Amino acid sequence: MEKQPILRVENLKTYFYTEDGVVKAVDGVTFDLYEGETLGIVGESGSGKSVTSLSIMRLLDEKGKIVDGKIIFKGKNLLELSEAEMRKIRGNEIAMIFQEPMVALNPVYTIGDQIMEAIMLHQNVGESKAREIAIDLLRKVGIPEPEKRVDQYPHQLSGGMRQRAMIAMALSCRPSILIADEPTTALDVTIQAQILDLMKELQKEYGMALIMITHDMGVIAEMADRVVVMYAGRVVEYGEVHEIFKKPRHPYTYGLLSSIPRLDVEQEKLKSIPGTVPDPLSFPSGCKFHPRCEFAQERCKNEEPELVEVEPGHFSRCFFWEKLKELEVK
Amino acid sequence: MRVETKRTLKRFFRNPSAIIGVSLLIFFTVVAIAAPLLAPPLNPMDPSRKVHDPFTMPKVTWKQEPVPPTSKADAEKAFIAKGIAKMLYEKEKEDLVPLALKVVENLSSEELYRVYAKVSPLKSKIKEYLKTVKDKLKKAGLENPDTYINSFMTNDFLLACKKALEGDENFPQVLKSLASEIPNLRKTYLIKIFKEGFPYLDYDHAISVSKEFLKVDGNVIDFLMEKGYIKRKPIRCVDYHIFGMIDGRDIFYGVVWGTRTAFRIGLIVTFFATLIGLFIGSISGYYGGWIDEVLMRITDVFLSIPFLVAAIVLTTFLGTGLDKVMIAMVIFGWMGTARLIRGNILQVKEEQFILAAKALGVRDYLIIMRHVIPNTIFPVVIQASMRMGSLVITAAALSFLGLGAPTGYADWGSLLNYSRNWLLGAQGDVFKYWFALVYPGTAMVLFVLAWNLLGDALRDTFDPRLRG
Amino acid sequence: MTAYIIRRLLLLPLILFGVTLIIFGMLQLLGPDKLLAAYVNPNVFDKLSNEELEALKEKYGLNDPMVVRYAKWLNGVLHGDLGWSVVGKTYVKDALLSRIPYTAELALYAIFPVVGVGVWLGIVSAVHRDKFLDQAIRIFAVVGWSFPDFVFGLFVLMIFYSWLGWLPPGNYSDWAEDIIKSPNFHHITHILSIDALLNGRVDIFWDTIRHLIGPIMTISWLWWAYLLRITRSSMLEVLNKEYIRTARAKGLDERVVINKHAKRNALIPVTTVGGAMIINLFAGTVIVEVIFNRIGLGRFVAQAATQLDYAAIMGGALFYSTILVLGNLIIDVTYALIDPRIRLG
């Protein structure tokens, strides 16, 4: 009865071997991505969400190593592919857009050059044809005067335009998965909304799956079908977006949600999660969230909880998830 | 914060560059501090002769005497005899040019100038003439004109020339001018030698005394003769001189005390240049506007003269000497720091805490001192340590060109300058004088290497842009 | 862009003016007595009495206020009158001009190995970051950087001249000198090696090249280390940029990523440094020319300095500075032309 996921990440472990020690940036992450859906990955900076996406693309820098796990895309384990096979998938089947459109485009080549490059690489077309496709794409992502823009350099475009160009580049080969790593963080609020709308629209049109990486619960609420909440390299909660928003079963998610200002409910004071993300070189023992958790007890310091299914399709990594249920009743 | 510091230190000391650099620097520091113990500023062959300025490498004298002079008067006479003997020796072996240079070495700057004015045109005249003489000698059928050329200016040669060239219309004039110059120069030299030893002795008296000696007792002259050893020729490993000798001076002494010189040049120049740079850069960066514009243009102007050329020019105009070299390097060495500081300050200025301090009405200089400088000082320290090496190289280059340290000063560049003359001369036995190049050269390379490694390690550790 | 170039052009005379001020200022450190020596025939100088000296000082205007003297001097400089060089036995201007081709030849030939190999090593090092190759190149760089050129040059002479006899010092061999100085040898470009080829004398060409290799090796050694470090860090910085990740995410081959996307960005800042370096090569030939006993600007200045030929020193310094300023201008403009962010910004 269950749909076959297009991408399955299983027990992914990505460690960084730095001079100061081993950083377990991603430590046993598991999730599925189904065709056409949007999966949100949310967490503070340093929670391992970007590393997860780079692991999928196998674009980690030299210090980062995937030590364990599987990434199954259309039945193939990406981690077992050769570099040449992987290159055929990158940009073609799985595309990615990055946080800072200012720095993600090469300043010395025109927008057109950079889009055409991917088209010519994967689609086996000539330069003039590629140029046509590029102009079409630019028009599709809502860039005015695409014939002119195609010959412009990145610095001649505004931030929003650049992100649109990035999207055009990512979509150039009609990928089946698009990974968007904080695509709107660096943009103005008004432009953020436009870009998100554009992405939604294009997702529908192309029928692709989208992995949306963000620290912004608002973006998640707007875009995602399902959500993975990450903390310190671990998935702490995982489930349908409605479930998570209405019935958070992990204190961290709870904290994230209550730090969003809401207009519909009267709040005395905006809550925040005390403390900061732990030092990645020396994570606390037991549950990694316990030093910041308002529900923490003795047990949390010594034992790390497993990811348990609290409801069908809704998982939480907390011993005391039921307490949150009680809280909700109040 | 403490964890972060600990980690940084750990990272620093795990860097092989840092380990090698720091160890080398510790080694050099120990050598510099222990210099009076390692190479006592005494003449090892003659401990009674203490050196006034320990940085001046003592000339080594040889005592191979069968009978040392017993009375003070004897010693005095012996000294004069030595002077004469030395002169006679040189008269035979050396041509006029080095002799003149030797004179130049021993004269004060005013005297130097006057002598120089005489020698310079003369020298070129000789050279010019040498060629024509050579050709004519060849034509005249002389077998080996080169050997004659080498002993050029000896009386025999002049006579030979005269014979060979009788009838040439230019030659008498040249001879005449040479003849008028030579006795003058030698006279000056002679007076110099006697004056050094016996300031109270007048010239005629000295001559008569030494003449007497030359006639009476050849033995005295013999044992005091510095034949060969006072020469500049490098000598390998004799007696105490484990690194050998050059220019009649102990290379080991020069290398050890040269460490002090290197530290002194490097630290003093870096300190003052950084200070000036810091001052100008922070004013320029902090105030901006026209002050910035003016100061930066001044910086541009100073940067427009190549460093080495600027140092050469200024050292020449100030007069040679290490202090002059240091002044020149400070004056033309602050621009890098100024630019760096300015750039950093422009960055830091936009930071929140500076804006906050400004909003609170904290005074400008307090802001610069308390907030800006601590936040920009690290790149300056890194840059300074990287610069130490190149400064020492430049100072040595000036000494090498003969513009830096005075003769006999314990300085690696000067030692290398001495050795230069001997590397090419040794036909057949090429590596005969290797020690004259290798010991001071190695000391210098290692010293510079130490600072460069330290700078590299500091940058790798503290410069976040290059962190992986 | 145009505004930038105009601004630079306007600043140019200002900077050169500043340079003349500094050089003239340095000259004043000598005091009038020594300055006089620059005007008077040295043979006569010693015999002059104090009164005569004073009279001469008055005659040459050495007792004038500094501003007047500066104006006079500057006027002379602007008309190409740099004074008489004792060392060169001719006017400073002519002495400098006659030596430019020699130094230019050396710098010209040195540029290719220096820039080519230096940049290449830097890129290789950055691409193989922290691997064995990188470590080896970095050790080479830091050791090379610590080697003073005169020490290295002496080693080169010791090994390649004294021992092997391959690379003699000087500009040309004695037998070549006779031919070069003969009227049959036409000096067309004044750059010897090229003239030799134009005259059809391959043997002289080889001879001049043989004399150039030692100095070029010495120059290269130092500058490789320098250029390599700069290229490496520039390349590393670029390789960490997001657009490189973007390029990889497109599925591009690593070779394409490096050759197309990284190299071009990394080499933009290297142009500035590399350009500045080439200019400094000109100034850096002082030591090399002295060691290898080559005729050239550098040795001329060094000789002038040791023989206290003030006019020549000042002329040399002015000349070097002018080259530096003009060269920097050219580089900055080139830089602006290469980088689209500045060209179109």
Side-chain angles (χ1 to χ4, degrees), chain B residues 100-233:
Chain B
L101 287 177
K102 206 154 213 159
V103 176
V104 167
E105 244 170 44
N106 291 311
L107 298 176
S108 69
S109 58
E110 259 72 23
E111 281 174 304
L112 181 90
Y113 185 74
R114 283 165 192 276
V115 172
Y116 171 70
K118 275 183 184 164
V119 176
S120 175
L122 181 66
K123 200 170 129 189
S124 52
K125 221 186 268 173
I126 293 169
K127 274 195 176 163
E128 225 173 77
Y129 204 73
L130 199 61
K131 260 197 102 171
T132 51
V133 169
K134 199 173 152 185
D135 290 339
K136 296 213 168 171
L137 283 175
K138 253 188 201 166
K139 270 182 203 160
L142 213 69
E143 267 180 37
N144 237 342
D146 275 328
T147 51
Y148 280 97
I149 304 290
N150 286 343
S151 55
F152 184 60
M153 296 314 301
T154 63
N155 291 332
D156 290 351
F157 178 67
L158 286 178
L159 283 173
C161 290
K162 207 180 168 191
K163 261 188 182 171
L165 300 164
E166 249 158 8
D168 187 304
E169 46 179 73
N170 280 331
F171 191 68
Q173 287 168 15
V174 177
L175 260 191
K176 209 173 152 195
S177 74
L178 286 179
S180 68
E181 294 293 344
I182 296 165
N184 270 343
L185 285 171
R186 297 228 164 134
K187 209 164 111 190
T188 329
Y189 189 36
L190 204 63
I191 295 170
K192 191 72 197 166
I193 290 170
F194 292 126
K195 269 195 177 166
E196 249 178 21
F198 304 97
Y200 54 85
L201 214 65
D202 66 56
Y203 175 65
D204 290 334
H205 188 190
I207 290 290
S208 68
V209 170
S210 45
K211 263 187 184 165
E212 201 184 300
F213 252 87
L214 278 167
K215 261 185 228 157
V216 172
D217 195 352
N219 193 23
V220 179
I221 305 164
D222 217 42
F223 81 76
L224 275 165
M225 228 155 76
E226 295 168 346
K227 201 168 180 177
Y229 300 123
I230 195 74
K231 299 276 289 176
R232 299 168 164 214
K233 199 181 210 164

Side-chain angles (χ1 to χ4, degrees), chain B residues 321-354:
Chain B
L322 268 193
D323 45 345
K324 311 288 167 43
V325 169
M326 289 196 274
I327 292 172
M329 289 203 296
V330 169
I331 290 179
F332 286 98
W334 52 270
M335 295 84 75
T337 316
R339 280 197 166 177
L340 182 75
I341 273 286
R342 175 179 172 270
N344 277 327
I345 286 181
L346 288 185
Q347 251 173 33
V348 172
K349 223 162 88 173
E350 300 308 313
E351 303 265 355
Q352 295 297 327
F353 56 88
I354 301 289

Side-chain angles (χ1 to χ4, degrees), chain A residues 18-21 63 279 281-282, chain B residues 3 7-8 10-11 14 467-468:
Chain A
T18 68
E19 283 165 43
D20 302 326
K63 283 175 184 151
D279 181 352
L281 283 168
S282 49
Chain B
V3 181
R7 226 176 251 165
T8 311
K10 221 167 110 190
R11 198 160 47 209
R14 214 184 287 152
R467 235 186 263 169

Side-chain angles (χ1 to χ4, degrees), chain C residues 59 64 178 215 258 298 313:
Chain C
K59 182 184 163 197
D64 290 349
D178 296 338
I258 285 164
I313 297 172

Side-chain angles (χ1 to χ4, degrees), chain B residues 231-247:
Chain B
K231 299 276 289 176
R232 299 168 164 214
K233 199 181 210 164
I235 298 154
R236 173 82 190 117
C237 241
V238 267
D239 298 338
Y240 296 99
H241 311 290
I242 52 170
F243 282 5
M245 284 175 56
I246 193 166
D247 195 36

